[in-house]
Amino acid sequence: MNVMNPSKLEVTPLSPHIGAELRGLDLSKPLSEADVAAINKAWLDHIVIVFRGQTLTQEDHLRVTSYFGPIGKLGRPPKFFPPGFKSLLPGIMMISNIRENGEPIGALPDGEMMFHHDMIHHEIPHDGTMLYSLEIPTYGGDTLFASGYAAYDTLDPALKAKLEGKRARHFYNYGSTQRGDGKGTEAHAESVHPIFRTHDKTGRKSTYVNRLMTVGIEGMSDAESAPLLEALFDHTEKPEFVYRHKWKVGDLLLWDNRSSTHARDDFPADQRRLMLRTTVAGSVIPA
Ligand code: SIN
C-alpha cells in the first residue's frame, strides 16, 4: 500500500466463507494505485466483492475490470449473439430477459441457473466475472456464490484421496441454464481441468467441478464418475459455504471463478432484469 496516500476502502465481510462489501469508492472516477491494490487484496481475500450504488458507463465498467487483469473475450461465437449485444462495447456481455419482437435482447434471459464456473468449458478459463445491475425484478433473481476453498477444506478425506490428481470433463452449450435443458444455442465448448484447482495467487485449493457443466471424470466410466461428482456437487453447494446476493440497481460485483461457483434463483418472467457483464482473462491451469 502507498503510505503517503492510503486507500479509504472499508471492507465488511458478508458471510463466514465468501463475500465482502467494499465501501468508500466511487468507481466512476479513476482509482489511485493504493485503491487498486486494496480492491485486489480484498478480492483475493473474500472471493466475491460487492460495490453498491455505482453509476457506471460501459467505459467505466471496462476500466474497473482492467484493474484486476486483462479483459476477457466473450466465449460465445458472434453468430449467436442476442440482438442487444449490438449496443455494447467489445468485451461486454448483456444478461437480460427483456424482449423485443418476442426475442430476448440478452443472454441467459430466464429463471433459475444451476451452480457453475464461468468459462470452465474453455481451455483457458477466465479468472473473474464482473456483473453490474441496471434493472432488477421486485423479488427473486438473487445470485448465490459458493466458496470452493471451504468445500475443499471440509471435503470427506476418503473422497478427497480418491479424486486428488484427477481431471474432470466439462461441456457447455451457450445459453443453457439447467443441465440438459435443451435451451442452449448450437454453439458449445468443452474442456478438461483438475478436479481440485490450486489458485495461482493465493496457493489455496478449491473444488473445481459444477453441476451445470461438469459431465465426467477422465479415465472413469459414467457409472463410476456420476456418484462421485454428485457427492462433490452436493458438498460444494452446502448453504454454509454460500453468500446470497440480493441485487439493487447500481450493484457491481466481481467474483473469482478460480475459487467459487455461482447460481441464480428464479424470478418473475414478466419483470425486467438487465445486467452487463465483463470477465477478467485467465491463464493456463497447470495439470
Ligand atoms: C451468470 O452466471 O453469469 C449470470 C448470473 C446472474 O444472472 O445472476
Side-chain angles (χ1 to χ4, degrees):
M1 179 174 315
N2 181 341
V3 281
M4 300 299 288
N5 180 20
S7 174
K8 300 230 169 21
L9 189 71
E10 284 172 43
V11 180
T12 308
L14 294 166
S15 84
H17 295 289
I18 183 165
E21 182 172 343
L22 274 47
R23 297 198 197 102
L25 298 179
D26 173 359
L27 300 176
S28 69
K29 310 225 162 50
L31 296 188
S32 69
E33 266 180 45
D35 286 334
V36 171
I39 59 178
N40 268 280
K41 180 178 180 327
W43 185 38
L44 292 179
D45 288 348
H46 297 282
I47 311 172
V48 180
I49 51 175
V50 174
F51 300 91
R52 299 273 196 186
Q54 301 294 324
T55 306
L56 303 178
T57 61
Q58 289 187 33
E59 287 84 356
D60 293 331
H61 189 153
L62 290 168
R63 173 178 47 76
V64 177
T65 309
S66 73
Y67 292 144
F68 298 90
I71 291 163
K73 276 184 151 162
L74 272 53
R76 180 188 293 237
K79 185 176 160 206
F80 297 96
F81 284 178
F85 283 34
K86 286 197 284 289
S87 63
L88 304 175
L89 292 175
I92 302 186
M93 169 178 161
M94 179 184 284
I95 294 179
S96 186
N97 64 342
I98 298 170
R99 282 166 163 80
E100 282 175 7
N101 307 316
E103 192 186 349
I105 61 170
L108 308 172
D110 303 311
E112 192 177 346
M113 195 163 183
M114 281 180 170
F115 275 94
H116 62 283
H117 301 80
D118 292 331
M119 303 293 284
I120 198 173
H121 48 287
H122 278 242
E123 189 187 342
I124 304 183
H126 293 178
D127 285 353
T129 302
M130 186 172 276
L131 194 58
Y132 178 52
S133 66
L134 291 165
E135 294 188 54
I136 52 160
T138 52
Y139 64 94
D142 299 350
T143 308
L144 286 74
F145 297 94
S147 165
Y149 294 147
Y152 179 82
D153 291 347
T154 57
L155 190 62
D156 167 45
L159 184 57
K160 199 183 265 185
K162 196 170 172 75
L163 296 177
E164 199 71 66
K166 296 221 170 348
R167 304 197 311 163
R169 295 184 286 111
H170 312 282
F171 178 96
Y172 183 61
N173 272 106
Y174 292 97
S176 172
T177 53
Q178 301 286 309
R179 176 83 154 264
D181 60 8
K183 282 199 304 195
T185 62
E186 287 157 37
H188 75 272
E190 50 197 308
S191 66
V192 179
H193 295 299
I195 289 180
F196 303 128
R197 178 173 181 176
T198 305
H199 197 291
D200 54 316
K201 298 273 173 25
T202 66
R204 293 185 66 186
K205 281 190 171 188
S206 294
T207 53
Y208 197 58
V209 292
N210 69 69
R211 200 178 288 280
L212 180 61
M213 298 162 173
T214 307
V215 293
I217 298 177
E218 211 177 35
M220 282 189 193
S221 67
D222 287 353
E224 197 184 351
S225 65
L228 297 172
L229 287 175
E230 201 59 31
L232 266 182
F233 301 152
D234 288 348
H235 178 71
T236 302
E237 298 169 9
K238 282 185 176 155
E240 59 263 39
F241 306 145
V242 169
Y243 163 65
R244 168 184 290 272
H245 187 72
K246 291 192 171 297
W247 290 93
K248 292 185 186 147
V249 170
D251 287 353
L252 183 80
L253 267 63
L254 173 69
W255 60 86
D256 196 327
N257 287 306
R258 294 163 287 192
S259 51
S260 67
T261 48
H262 58 284
R264 182 175 75 194
D265 264 357
D266 201 4
F267 56 96
D270 58 353
Q271 294 193 24
R272 292 162 65 109
R273 192 174 188 270
L274 174 63
M275 313 256 177
L276 295 184
R277 185 180 113 162
T278 50
T279 58
V280 180
S283 46
V284 174
I285 303 173

mmCIF file of all heavy atoms in Angstrom, residues 93 95 108 113 116 118 129 131 141-143 247 255 262-264 273 275 277, ligand 1:
data_model
loop_
_atom_site.group_PDB
_atom_site.id
_atom_site.type_symbol
_atom_site.label_atom_id
_atom_site.label_comp_id
_atom_site.label_asym_id
_atom_site.label_seq_id
_atom_site.Cartn_x
_atom_site.Cartn_y
_atom_site.Cartn_z
ATOM 1 N N MET A 93 -20.882 -8.181 -22.146
ATOM 2 C CA MET A 93 -21.975 -9.099 -22.483
ATOM 3 C C MET A 93 -23.222 -8.612 -21.749
ATOM 4 O O MET A 93 -23.109 -8.058 -20.649
ATOM 5 C CB MET A 93 -21.564 -10.491 -21.998
ATOM 6 C CG MET A 93 -22.625 -11.538 -22.001
ATOM 7 S SD MET A 93 -21.845 -13.104 -21.441
ATOM 8 C CE MET A 93 -23.307 -14.001 -20.958
ATOM 9 N N ILE A 95 -26.842 -9.589 -19.985
ATOM 10 C CA ILE A 95 -27.695 -10.650 -19.455
ATOM 11 C C ILE A 95 -29.063 -10.022 -19.240
ATOM 12 O O ILE A 95 -29.178 -9.072 -18.455
ATOM 13 C CB ILE A 95 -27.123 -11.201 -18.133
ATOM 14 C CG1 ILE A 95 -25.788 -11.897 -18.418
ATOM 15 C CG2 ILE A 95 -28.108 -12.142 -17.455
ATOM 16 C CD1 ILE A 95 -25.106 -12.462 -17.220
ATOM 17 N N LEU A 108 -28.715 -15.593 -21.338
ATOM 18 C CA LEU A 108 -29.183 -16.205 -20.090
ATOM 19 C C LEU A 108 -30.430 -15.515 -19.554
ATOM 20 O O LEU A 108 -30.459 -15.070 -18.399
ATOM 21 C CB LEU A 108 -28.060 -16.127 -19.035
ATOM 22 C CG LEU A 108 -26.699 -16.673 -19.467
ATOM 23 C CD1 LEU A 108 -25.629 -16.367 -18.424
ATOM 24 C CD2 LEU A 108 -26.759 -18.172 -19.743
ATOM 25 N N MET A 113 -30.700 -20.698 -12.536
ATOM 26 C CA MET A 113 -29.498 -21.188 -13.199
ATOM 27 C C MET A 113 -28.721 -22.047 -12.201
ATOM 28 O O MET A 113 -28.503 -21.633 -11.057
ATOM 29 C CB MET A 113 -28.671 -19.977 -13.634
ATOM 30 C CG MET A 113 -27.618 -20.312 -14.621
ATOM 31 S SD MET A 113 -26.981 -18.868 -15.479
ATOM 32 C CE MET A 113 -25.866 -19.744 -16.564
ATOM 33 N N HIS A 116 -22.325 -23.014 -11.338
ATOM 34 C CA HIS A 116 -21.329 -23.175 -12.412
ATOM 35 C C HIS A 116 -20.154 -22.221 -12.202
ATOM 36 O O HIS A 116 -20.242 -21.281 -11.403
ATOM 37 C CB HIS A 116 -21.966 -22.907 -13.778
ATOM 38 C CG HIS A 116 -22.496 -21.514 -13.935
ATOM 39 N ND1 HIS A 116 -23.679 -21.096 -13.374
ATOM 40 C CD2 HIS A 116 -21.988 -20.430 -14.570
ATOM 41 C CE1 HIS A 116 -23.881 -19.831 -13.656
ATOM 42 N NE2 HIS A 116 -22.860 -19.384 -14.369
ATOM 43 N N ASP A 118 -17.972 -19.636 -14.545
ATOM 44 C CA ASP A 118 -17.973 -19.046 -15.882
ATOM 45 C C ASP A 118 -16.714 -19.488 -16.623
ATOM 46 O O ASP A 118 -15.603 -19.410 -16.076
ATOM 47 C CB ASP A 118 -18.011 -17.509 -15.802
ATOM 48 C CG ASP A 118 -19.343 -17.012 -15.258
ATOM 49 O OD1 ASP A 118 -20.364 -17.707 -15.452
ATOM 50 O OD2 ASP A 118 -19.345 -15.941 -14.629
ATOM 51 N N THR A 129 -15.369 -12.625 -12.995
ATOM 52 C CA THR A 129 -16.527 -12.078 -13.718
ATOM 53 C C THR A 129 -17.024 -10.867 -12.952
ATOM 54 O O THR A 129 -17.144 -10.912 -11.714
ATOM 55 C CB THR A 129 -17.668 -13.115 -13.807
ATOM 56 O OG1 THR A 129 -17.189 -14.280 -14.460
ATOM 57 C CG2 THR A 129 -18.859 -12.551 -14.580
ATOM 58 N N LEU A 131 -20.211 -8.211 -12.738
ATOM 59 C CA LEU A 131 -21.606 -8.060 -13.161
ATOM 60 C C LEU A 131 -22.187 -6.785 -12.540
ATOM 61 O O LEU A 131 -22.057 -6.562 -11.335
ATOM 62 C CB LEU A 131 -22.399 -9.295 -12.711
ATOM 63 C CG LEU A 131 -23.776 -9.532 -13.314
ATOM 64 C CD1 LEU A 131 -23.714 -9.642 -14.846
ATOM 65 C CD2 LEU A 131 -24.385 -10.818 -12.747
ATOM 66 N N GLY A 141 -34.326 -13.717 -8.445
ATOM 67 C CA GLY A 141 -33.155 -13.367 -9.257
ATOM 68 C C GLY A 141 -31.908 -13.123 -8.429
ATOM 69 O O GLY A 141 -30.951 -12.509 -8.913
ATOM 70 N N ASP A 142 -31.880 -13.614 -7.156
ATOM 71 C CA ASP A 142 -30.651 -13.488 -6.348
ATOM 72 C C ASP A 142 -29.552 -14.321 -7.013
ATOM 73 O O ASP A 142 -29.840 -15.341 -7.655
ATOM 74 C CB ASP A 142 -30.848 -14.070 -4.941
ATOM 75 C CG ASP A 142 -31.932 -13.373 -4.151
ATOM 76 O OD1 ASP A 142 -32.412 -12.314 -4.590
ATOM 77 O OD2 ASP A 142 -32.312 -13.915 -3.083
ATOM 78 N N THR A 143 -28.292 -13.920 -6.822
ATOM 79 C CA THR A 143 -27.178 -14.752 -7.271
ATOM 80 C C THR A 143 -26.499 -15.319 -6.025
ATOM 81 O O THR A 143 -26.234 -14.584 -5.072
ATOM 82 C CB THR A 143 -26.193 -13.938 -8.132
ATOM 83 O OG1 THR A 143 -26.945 -13.289 -9.170
ATOM 84 C CG2 THR A 143 -25.152 -14.840 -8.786
ATOM 85 N N TRP A 247 -29.886 -8.334 -5.249
ATOM 86 C CA TRP A 247 -29.453 -7.221 -6.096
ATOM 87 C C TRP A 247 -30.237 -5.944 -5.847
ATOM 88 O O TRP A 247 -31.445 -5.988 -5.609
ATOM 89 C CB TRP A 247 -29.631 -7.603 -7.561
ATOM 90 C CG TRP A 247 -28.669 -8.642 -8.033
ATOM 91 C CD1 TRP A 247 -28.879 -10.006 -8.051
ATOM 92 C CD2 TRP A 247 -27.340 -8.421 -8.538
ATOM 93 N NE1 TRP A 247 -27.748 -10.629 -8.542
ATOM 94 C CE2 TRP A 247 -26.806 -9.690 -8.856
ATOM 95 C CE3 TRP A 247 -26.562 -7.284 -8.751
ATOM 96 C CZ2 TRP A 247 -25.526 -9.855 -9.385
ATOM 97 C CZ3 TRP A 247 -25.294 -7.442 -9.276
ATOM 98 C CH2 TRP A 247 -24.787 -8.704 -9.581
ATOM 99 N N TRP A 255 -16.518 -11.629 -8.995
ATOM 100 C CA TRP A 255 -16.269 -12.906 -8.323
ATOM 101 C C TRP A 255 -15.113 -13.638 -8.983
ATOM 102 O O TRP A 255 -14.796 -13.418 -10.148
ATOM 103 C CB TRP A 255 -17.507 -13.782 -8.254
ATOM 104 C CG TRP A 255 -18.156 -14.187 -9.546
ATOM 105 C CD1 TRP A 255 -17.837 -15.252 -10.320
ATOM 106 C CD2 TRP A 255 -19.287 -13.563 -10.171
ATOM 107 N NE1 TRP A 255 -18.696 -15.331 -11.391
ATOM 108 C CE2 TRP A 255 -19.594 -14.308 -11.321
ATOM 109 C CE3 TRP A 255 -20.082 -12.449 -9.852
ATOM 110 C CZ2 TRP A 255 -20.650 -13.977 -12.167
ATOM 111 C CZ3 TRP A 255 -21.130 -12.120 -10.706
ATOM 112 C CH2 TRP A 255 -21.399 -12.878 -11.832
ATOM 113 N N HIS A 262 -21.235 -20.159 -8.841
ATOM 114 C CA HIS A 262 -22.396 -19.316 -8.580
ATOM 115 C C HIS A 262 -23.619 -19.883 -9.285
ATOM 116 O O HIS A 262 -23.499 -20.643 -10.251
ATOM 117 C CB HIS A 262 -22.144 -17.863 -8.986
ATOM 118 C CG HIS A 262 -21.776 -17.686 -10.418
ATOM 119 N ND1 HIS A 262 -20.521 -17.983 -10.909
ATOM 120 C CD2 HIS A 262 -22.496 -17.269 -11.485
ATOM 121 C CE1 HIS A 262 -20.476 -17.757 -12.200
ATOM 122 N NE2 HIS A 262 -21.667 -17.330 -12.591
ATOM 123 N N ALA A 263 -24.790 -19.496 -8.769
ATOM 124 C CA ALA A 263 -26.069 -19.959 -9.301
ATOM 125 C C ALA A 263 -27.050 -18.795 -9.217
ATOM 126 O O ALA A 263 -26.775 -17.799 -8.539
ATOM 127 C CB ALA A 263 -26.584 -21.125 -8.467
ATOM 128 N N ARG A 264 -28.182 -18.931 -9.902
ATOM 129 C CA ARG A 264 -29.179 -17.853 -9.861
ATOM 130 C C ARG A 264 -30.536 -18.439 -9.505
ATOM 131 O O ARG A 264 -30.928 -19.468 -10.025
ATOM 132 C CB ARG A 264 -29.244 -17.179 -11.239
ATOM 133 C CG ARG A 264 -30.218 -16.015 -11.315
ATOM 134 C CD ARG A 264 -30.133 -15.329 -12.662
ATOM 135 N NE ARG A 264 -30.762 -16.097 -13.722
ATOM 136 C CZ ARG A 264 -30.590 -15.859 -15.024
ATOM 137 N NH1 ARG A 264 -29.808 -14.877 -15.418
ATOM 138 N NH2 ARG A 264 -31.199 -16.598 -15.920
ATOM 139 N N ARG A 273 -35.146 -7.735 -16.018
ATOM 140 C CA ARG A 273 -33.829 -7.877 -15.356
ATOM 141 C C ARG A 273 -32.788 -7.567 -16.426
ATOM 142 O O ARG A 273 -32.809 -8.171 -17.504
ATOM 143 C CB ARG A 273 -33.675 -9.292 -14.817
ATOM 144 C CG ARG A 273 -32.494 -9.512 -13.858
ATOM 145 C CD ARG A 273 -32.573 -10.924 -13.292
ATOM 146 N NE ARG A 273 -31.608 -11.205 -12.231
ATOM 147 C CZ ARG A 273 -30.386 -11.699 -12.433
ATOM 148 N NH1 ARG A 273 -29.963 -11.928 -13.665
ATOM 149 N NH2 ARG A 273 -29.574 -11.949 -11.409
ATOM 150 N N MET A 275 -28.535 -6.763 -16.852
ATOM 151 C CA MET A 275 -27.192 -6.708 -16.258
ATOM 152 C C MET A 275 -26.161 -6.638 -17.370
ATOM 153 O O MET A 275 -26.376 -7.218 -18.438
ATOM 154 C CB MET A 275 -26.898 -8.000 -15.496
ATOM 155 C CG MET A 275 -27.968 -8.476 -14.573
ATOM 156 S SD MET A 275 -27.454 -8.092 -12.927
ATOM 157 C CE MET A 275 -28.817 -8.601 -11.956
ATOM 158 N N ARG A 277 -22.071 -7.588 -18.160
ATOM 159 C CA ARG A 277 -21.039 -8.480 -17.609
ATOM 160 C C ARG A 277 -19.745 -8.366 -18.390
ATOM 161 O O ARG A 277 -19.750 -8.273 -19.615
ATOM 162 C CB ARG A 277 -21.561 -9.915 -17.710
ATOM 163 C CG ARG A 277 -20.676 -10.947 -17.082
ATOM 164 C CD ARG A 277 -21.270 -12.337 -17.221
ATOM 165 N NE ARG A 277 -20.438 -13.128 -18.109
ATOM 166 C CZ ARG A 277 -20.464 -14.459 -18.196
ATOM 167 N NH1 ARG A 277 -21.311 -15.140 -17.457
ATOM 168 N NH2 ARG A 277 -19.682 -15.099 -19.010
HETATM 169 C C1 SIN B 1 -24.006 -15.571 -14.744
HETATM 170 O O1 SIN B 1 -23.904 -16.723 -14.359
HETATM 171 O O2 SIN B 1 -23.093 -15.015 -15.338
HETATM 172 C C2 SIN B 1 -25.309 -14.818 -14.515
HETATM 173 C C3 SIN B 1 -25.675 -14.654 -13.094
HETATM 174 C C4 SIN B 1 -26.938 -13.850 -12.917
HETATM 175 O O3 SIN B 1 -27.653 -13.551 -13.887
HETATM 176 O O4 SIN B 1 -27.236 -13.502 -11.772
#
